Amino acid sequence: MPSTYRHQIDIKHHMKFHHILLKNATFLLFSIPILLLFAELAIAADRSQQVINSVPKAERTSIAQVSPVQVTKIQINPSDARLEIILETAEGRSLQIDSNKFRIEGNNLIADIPNAVLAIPNMQEFSAAEPTAEISKINITQLGANTLRVNIIGNGKPPTQEVALKTQGQLFSLNREDAPEEEITVTGTRTARPTRLTPSSIAVIDADKIDQNLAQDLRDLFRYEPNISVGNNRRYGLQDINIRGLGGNRVLILNDGIRLPAQFSFGTSSLGRDYVDIESLQRVEVVRGPASALYGSDALGGVVSFRTIDPEDLLKKRPDQSVVTSLSTNTETTDRSFTNTAAIAFRDGNFEGLLGYTRRDGAEARVPTGNEFVDSRSNGRNNWLGKLVYRIDATSKIGFAAEIFRNRDNFRVAPITIAGLQSPTGFRGQDETLDNNVSRDRFSISYDFNDPNSTSFLTAAKAQIYYQNSNVEEIRTQDFVRTGAGVDRRRLRNLTNTFSDRILGGEVEFQSRFKINEIPNTLTYGIDISSTRNERVRNGTENRFNAAGANILTTNVVGSDNFPVKDFPDSDTFRLGIYVQNAIDFSDTFTLIAGLRFDSYHLKTKIDELYLRNSPSATASDFNDSAISPSLGFVWQTSPEWTLTGRYAKGFRTPLYSEINSGFTNLTSPTFRYQTLSNPNLRPETSDTFEIAVRANYPQFNFNLTGFYNSYSNFIESFASAGFATVNGIPNVSLFQTQNVAKASTYGIELGSEYRFSPTNDGFSLIAALGLTVGENQTTNQPLETVDPIKLVTGLRYRAPESIWGADLIATFAGQPRLASNRPANAYTPQGYTVVDLTGFYKITPQLTLNMGIFNLFNSQYFLYSDVRPLVTAPAPTDLARFAQSGISLRAGLTFVF
């Protein structure tokens, strides 16, 4: 059989196989949540009927309760920080502890735990005499059929040392009403765990912190986070999130579990990943380092997970009301921006709903010196968010969400620099504008089940089906004037580029808790599947005018482009991931967490006339790959205050559609002719990461120190040199192709701490955070220049009693980056800087809060390395000031919840 014919058969068979795989996987994905829903309803109905049948008719008005949680072991653990009463349960079930119902009676601290029974052999009650000098006795007794009472009897007075119940790793203080809530992460292990008891290094930023830091965008969001930065392009705005030296598409960004579009760059266009308005967020979590074992491709450098506000988040602020409204307004002086947000949430029976809207307007930010180099800019943004939730019962709910994001950014090059605009031969620039319009629409339906007291194998499940449509439209005008002789004296270009990213997908996730040889296991497992469509079209015309101003020619041949064209063929990317993770609690102080994920990745392309228009010889290839990503971590509480964690994680990133296929030829330039080539032989980027951390948690002091080492292989370099060739009879045409070219490594530390001078949660405290990453390109033996310099954040904090008001004085110190030694001798080297901010808040009433901040208190002129990194291979440009951060600025925000 001829090889070509055999290849065609293989392709058809391959396509048929993947069509069948997609159809079956989709059926599985869509059917599981439906089956779960019907099963849950059937189980609930069956349980209710059984209870009804088991009681007399006169008593059938009562509602059945789930079976009580059995407390099988109790430990008393006194320490310098607190006295812990550790309650272990059968099958690792969770106790329904409500700290709002803890109370003091005389000399006693009392906590009643509903739906719980004491199930220790040969023991009717638990008693411990004089565990500390302040406590004469601890009694745990059965109060009624299904309630446990914990009674701590003080010696002549209520105990002043902290006394806390501990279950499932969480602490509930009986006598510290002002104790800060335990910080919980979901992203780190896909299950709710305290961040201090998670192997990964995780940052959690909630809505209160966003408000108190007066964050206006992604860059503000991570301003004080070590080893996290946000890049910026002066034309196209915020670009990507860099974690430990890796950014771009090596960081996975999720919004309510839906991946956001990848960053795309080609020529002068640089389309970033700023698709989320932070006013819509309730919470942000960042996993530093690979997380492919849970999230698959792109989680090579880390994961950023945004969670938008839910109806219950707003309703909790006024628990006595069924309708809650939040109104807020914010302003900033250097970019003259205003942000206004309104949100309303309601509860009516089993229904909850939310509708929110944000409007932003702003301009270019002014800098301390050199404002003549700052480009003119105006920005307008609208974001609508709507959610509807139906609670089937206390453990299950169905949700619908819709979000509409619109961002308009108008940009004009500063007159002082316009002459340097890249121009046709014999011309110079006299004006350039760019209107960049970004949109994102997403719709999702979800099902959630969570019953920690379930006696069945399944304790939690969730499913989501979603569709997201993201688009970018660039409308650019370029105006050139001739500098010498010629018929046409002026050329005006009108260019329109579009980029689209449409994703349809879904996921199902389950959680089961069980015991093997009395060792509790928490198993998390699931499937996610998606199909993404990407398209890119560039179009434009050039109008040429004579000395009289008359249009003498209109052409769609602009420079080397014969418009319209496509930078890459239309591409469909299919992703399928199957993962499992097990958290094994060998004891109350040691947990092992192991995970494994299989990913399948398939790219299908379609060549059309627009793709071939600029380069008729261009090729495009389909691409298939798969990967297995393991992870292994541990959490060891060496004492109630100290925890040691560690982990190994494998990460990977599959090549993108735009990296595998490219077809562009420029043979018109008199000085530089080139052609880009596709590369179907690209291999995924991979990483191996090792981390170890020590964490301390005292009533007045917390501390965490993480050390990490990452080894990367097959780093992908976009458009690396691939030699020379003769193209269309023209010799010495430079060839460029995206290739696997480098091995790299990074290592470093992250530190965070707070010391409170008062044993209560108010008063003064010292805060500090440090991020240091060292990166090496092991192929060139040069520093990895994507790594940010060392950053130290330190400050003095004050919180008034009951947090009526508070203030933070924060200083940020950044060092000088490590750069390649083979740069030109006169190349620009960014310098370190120090900047000081002062922020504060005041609760005028329980419903009305004022936030204020003075940023860059001393009006320092400084540059973020992520902004000026493209400049380090050449002398400092004359317009360097346009890259500076804004000078001293005042921000203020007012929030009213009623």
Side-chain angles (χ1 to χ4, degrees):
M1 180 182 295
S3 60
T4 302
Y5 180 67
R6 184 170 59 247
H7 182 64
Q8 292 174 348
I9 292 178
D10 290 342
I11 291 176
K12 292 179 180 179
H13 176 76
H14 196 60
M15 292 172 61
K16 183 178 180 181
F17 170 76
H18 289 305
H19 175 71
I20 295 171
L21 176 64
L22 175 61
K23 186 167 66 174
N24 283 278
T26 305
F27 173 78
L28 176 66
L29 178 70
F30 283 39
S31 63
I32 287 177
I34 296 172
L35 290 174
L36 277 173
L37 174 60
F38 281 108
E40 182 63 24
L41 291 172
I43 292 171
D46 182 65
R47 286 178 178 171
S48 299
Q49 188 62 46
Q50 289 179 9
V51 171
I52 291 173
N53 292 337
S54 65
V55 297
K57 285 186 178 181
E59 300 178 11
R60 288 186 183 180
T61 57
S62 63
I63 299 175
Q65 302 292 323
V66 296
S67 61
V69 180
Q70 296 182 348
V71 176
T72 56
K73 186 177 180 181
I74 300 173
Q75 299 181 60
I76 306 299
N77 191 3
S79 68
D80 295 337
R82 67 180 68 86
L83 177 99
E84 293 181 358
I85 303 172
I86 303 172
L87 306 176
E88 296 186 15
T89 62
E91 300 176 352
R93 295 174 65 190
S94 297
L95 292 167
Q96 301 174 8
I97 297 178
D98 185 356
S99 58
N100 293 321
K101 296 182 180 180
F102 295 169
R103 63 189 186 276
I104 300 177
E105 292 184 0
N107 299 329
N108 300 352
L109 305 177
I110 296 177
D112 290 336
I113 305 175
N115 199 41
V117 295
L118 196 63
I120 303 176
N122 304 319
M123 185 177 292
Q124 300 300 316
E125 68 176 49
F126 176 87
S127 181
E130 298 184 351
T132 68
E134 292 189 359
I135 299 174
S136 64
K137 194 175 184 181
I138 297 176
N139 279 335
I140 301 179
T141 58
Q142 196 72 46
L143 187 68
N146 295 328
T147 301
L148 278 184
R149 169 162 292 182
V150 180
N151 190 4
I152 294 91
I153 304 171
N155 272 326
K157 61 178 182 178
T160 58
Q161 72 176 115
E162 184 180 5
V163 179
L165 301 178
K166 183 177 182 180
T167 180
Q168 302 294 328
Q170 294 192 42
L171 293 172
F172 302 87
S173 179
L174 277 77
N175 57 347
R176 289 287 189 274
E177 293 183 0
D178 57 351
E181 293 185 5
E182 182 86 76
E183 186 177 74
I184 303 296
T185 176
V186 176
T187 308
T189 60
R190 284 189 180 260
T191 57
R193 290 183 66 89
T195 55
R196 64 184 178 88
L197 301 180
T198 303
S200 303
S201 175
I202 296 175
V204 177
I205 304 171
D206 60 20
D208 288 340
K209 190 179 293 186
I210 294 173
D211 290 342
Q212 291 172 12
N213 288 341
L214 293 116
Q216 299 293 307
D217 54 32
L218 287 179
R219 172 163 283 177
D220 290 339
L221 197 64
F222 303 115
R223 181 192 294 122
Y224 303 125
E225 292 296 331
N227 281 341
I228 303 175
S229 65
V230 177
N232 185 63
N233 180 285
R234 64 185 180 86
R235 275 187 171 87
Y236 289 89
L238 298 179
Q239 292 292 295
D240 65 338
I241 301 173
N242 185 296
I243 301 175
R244 293 179 178 174
L246 267 67
N249 298 315
R250 295 183 176 113
V251 172
L252 177 63
I253 304 179
L254 303 171
N255 185 43
D256 288 342
I258 304 170
R259 65 170 58 221
L260 293 181
Q263 183 182 16
F264 174 77
S265 298
F266 189 85
T268 58
S269 296
S270 185
L271 311 184
R273 312 184 74 183
D274 187 12
Y275 289 90
V276 175
D277 191 277
I278 64 173
E279 284 289 310
S280 68
L281 300 180
Q282 177 64 23
R283 186 180 183 86
V284 182
E285 296 188 22
V286 181
V287 180
R288 297 182 178 94
S292 295
L294 287 175
Y295 297 98
S297 178
D298 302 348
L300 189 73
V303 176
V304 178
S305 177
F306 299 117
R307 185 176 77 78
T308 57
I309 186 171
D310 286 327
E312 63 178 330
D313 297 321
L314 191 52
L315 290 167
K316 284 179 180 178
K317 295 184 177 183
R318 305 288 293 169
D320 57 330
Q321 298 178 188
S322 59
V323 179
V324 179
T325 302
S326 174
L327 303 175
S328 68
T329 184
N330 295 271
T331 185
E332 207 265 0
T333 56
T334 58
D335 64 1
R336 293 92 72 199
S337 65
F338 284 90
T339 303
N340 299 291
T341 300
I344 184 169
F346 73 88
R347 180 184 291 117
D348 184 8
N350 290 346
F351 283 97
E352 295 176 358
L354 177 138
L355 184 64
Y357 170 71
T358 296
R359 171 68 188 185
R360 292 183 186 271
D361 292 280
E364 73 279 359
R366 312 311 289 171
V367 298
T369 60
N371 278 291
E372 65 272 19
F373 294 107
V374 176
D375 304 307
S376 173
R377 183 184 298 276
S378 65
N379 175 264
R381 175 177 291 186
N382 296 290
N383 193 78
W384 294 266
L385 176 66
K387 292 188 177 182
L388 184 64
V389 176
Y390 176 72
R391 297 190 178 275
I392 302 170
D393 54 31
T395 62
S396 304
K397 63 181 179 180
I398 297 174
F400 171 78
E403 185 176 18
I404 299 174
F405 174 91
R406 297 289 184 273
N407 189 81
R408 171 192 52 78
D409 200 70
N410 298 331
F411 167 90
R412 169 165 265 139
V413 176
I416 196 173
T417 58
I418 190 61
L421 178 67
Q422 185 176 352
S423 309
T425 303
F427 287 79
R428 64 170 174 81
Q430 63 177 3
D431 193 19
E432 180 181 18
T433 66
L434 172 66
D435 294 344
N436 198 41
N437 302 305
V438 179
S439 66
R440 180 178 63 87
D441 302 331
R442 63 108 172 180
F443 307 92
S444 62
I445 300 174
S446 62
Y447 168 76
D448 287 272
F449 163 74
N450 186 18
D451 184 5
N453 296 315
S454 173
T455 57
S456 67
F457 183 73
L458 189 67
T459 57
K462 65 179 182 179
Q464 180 177 224
I465 301 170
Y466 57 84
Y467 171 74
Q468 179 175 267
N469 183 15
S470 305
N471 295 277
V472 180
E473 181 187 48
E474 312 158 63
I475 303 174
R476 176 183 290 187
T477 63
Q478 295 177 319
D479 196 355
F480 306 100
V481 62
R482 187 176 284 278
T483 57
V487 176
D488 57 329
R489 309 304 301 172
R490 178 186 173 210
R491 295 185 181 181
L492 179 64
R493 293 177 176 177
N494 295 283
L495 310 175
T496 301
N497 305 334
T498 60
F499 172 83
S500 66
D501 182 290
R502 299 188 297 273
I503 182 171
L504 173 66
E507 61 175 340
V508 290
E509 180 179 299
F510 308 96
Q511 186 182 108
S512 299
R513 291 180 177 175
F514 53 91
K515 285 188 176 182
I516 299 177
N517 294 330
E518 299 303 314
I519 297 176
N521 289 251
T522 301
L523 190 67
T524 304
Y525 48 104
I527 301 172
D528 58 57
I529 184 174
S530 67
S531 179
T532 306
R533 175 78 169 186
N534 291 102
E535 298 177 3
R536 168 74 167 175
V537 178
R538 292 190 295 118
N539 204 353
T541 59
E542 181 176 273
N543 296 289
R544 300 180 182 182
F545 301 87
N546 61 18
N551 187 356
I552 59 175
L553 177 67
T554 298
T555 177
N556 64 333
V557 178
V558 182
S560 61
D561 288 308
N562 182 15
F563 289 126
V565 298
K566 292 183 177 180
D567 296 329
F568 58 83
D570 295 345
S571 302
D572 292 293
T573 303
F574 172 75
R575 295 179 176 92
L576 172 67
I578 304 172
Y579 60 90
V580 61
Q581 176 189 265
N582 193 17
I584 309 170
D585 297 321
F586 286 99
S587 70
D588 194 58
T589 60
F590 187 85
T591 300
L592 191 68
I593 303 176
L596 187 68
R597 178 176 171 120
F598 169 78
D599 281 278
S600 182
Y601 177 95
H602 309 283
L603 172 68
K604 183 175 178 56
T605 60
K606 179 184 178 181
I607 297 178
D608 59 13
E609 190 269 338
L610 294 187
Y611 177 62
L612 299 175
R613 193 177 183 97
N614 259 4
S615 185
S617 61
T619 61
S621 302
D622 295 346
F623 184 84
N624 302 298
D625 208 345
S626 61
I628 295 178
S629 305
S631 68
L632 182 65
F634 72 89
V635 178
W636 180 23
Q637 293 181 265
T638 58
S639 72
E641 298 83 19
W642 290 88
T643 302
L644 182 68
T645 70
R647 73 166 183 143
Y648 162 78
K650 185 82 172 179
F652 84 101
R653 183 182 79 90
T654 55
L656 288 173
Y657 53 90
S658 56
E659 295 169 325
I660 296 169
N661 294 307
S662 178
F664 183 81
T665 301
N666 180 356
L667 303 178
T668 63
S669 172
T671 58
F672 182 60
R673 300 179 176 93
Y674 63 92
Q675 185 180 61
T676 63
L677 306 175
S678 297
N679 186 357
N681 298 317
L682 278 176
R683 299 185 302 278
E685 298 178 325
T686 61
S687 68
D688 294 279
T689 293
F690 301 87
E691 290 184 21
I692 191 163
V694 58
R695 297 162 186 163
N697 184 31
Y698 287 88
Q700 291 179 236
F701 175 68
N702 62 65
F703 167 87
N704 67 80
L705 175 64
T706 302
F708 60 88
Y709 174 81
N710 307 312
S711 176
Y712 302 99
S713 298
N714 298 326
F715 254 27
I716 295 174
E717 179 181 338
S718 296
F719 304 120
S721 176
F724 300 88
T726 297
V727 179
N728 296 342
I730 300 176
N732 298 320
V733 176
S734 298
L735 302 180
F736 294 93
Q737 185 183 53
T738 299
Q739 299 176 357
N740 299 101
V741 297
K743 291 185 177 181
S745 66
T746 60
Y747 58 91
I749 60 170
E750 290 150 355
L751 180 147
S753 67
E754 180 178 5
Y755 174 75
R756 292 183 290 274
F757 291 95
S758 170
T760 60
N761 203 38
D762 53 44
F764 286 97
S765 62
L766 295 174
I767 56 176
L770 172 71
L772 169 64
T773 301
V774 178
E776 303 289 346
N777 185 324
Q778 296 177 333
T779 300
T780 62
N781 293 319
Q782 294 288 343
L784 193 64
E785 293 184 342
T786 58
V787 173
D788 289 316
I790 184 173
K791 179 179 176 181
L792 171 65
V793 178
T794 184
L796 178 66
R797 171 174 292 167
Y798 177 77
R799 294 293 183 266
E802 299 182 2
S803 289
I804 295 298
W805 69 276
D808 290 1
L809 180 65
I810 303 175
T812 301
F813 307 90
Q816 184 174 309
R818 293 177 69 244
L819 301 175
S821 60
N822 56 1
R823 296 185 306 138
N826 60 346
Y828 167 64
T829 300
Q831 300 301 304
Y833 62 85
T834 300
V835 63
V836 179
D837 305 325
L838 176 64
T839 64
F841 68 91
Y842 175 58
K843 294 182 180 178
I844 303 171
T845 70
Q847 291 80 40
L848 186 63
T849 302
L850 173 67
N851 293 285
M852 294 189 68
I854 303 175
F855 296 86
N856 195 358
L857 199 58
F858 300 110
N859 201 35
S860 302
Q861 178 109 336
Y862 69 101
F863 303 85
L864 296 181
Y865 177 61
S866 56
D867 287 358
V868 298
R869 189 169 62 223
L871 309 179
V872 300
T873 57
T878 56
D879 60 348
L880 181 63
R882 74 165 68 182
F883 296 92
Q885 294 304 292
S886 59
I888 184 171
S889 65
L890 173 67
R891 295 184 185 180
L894 196 64
T895 302
F896 183 36
V897 180
F898 60 95

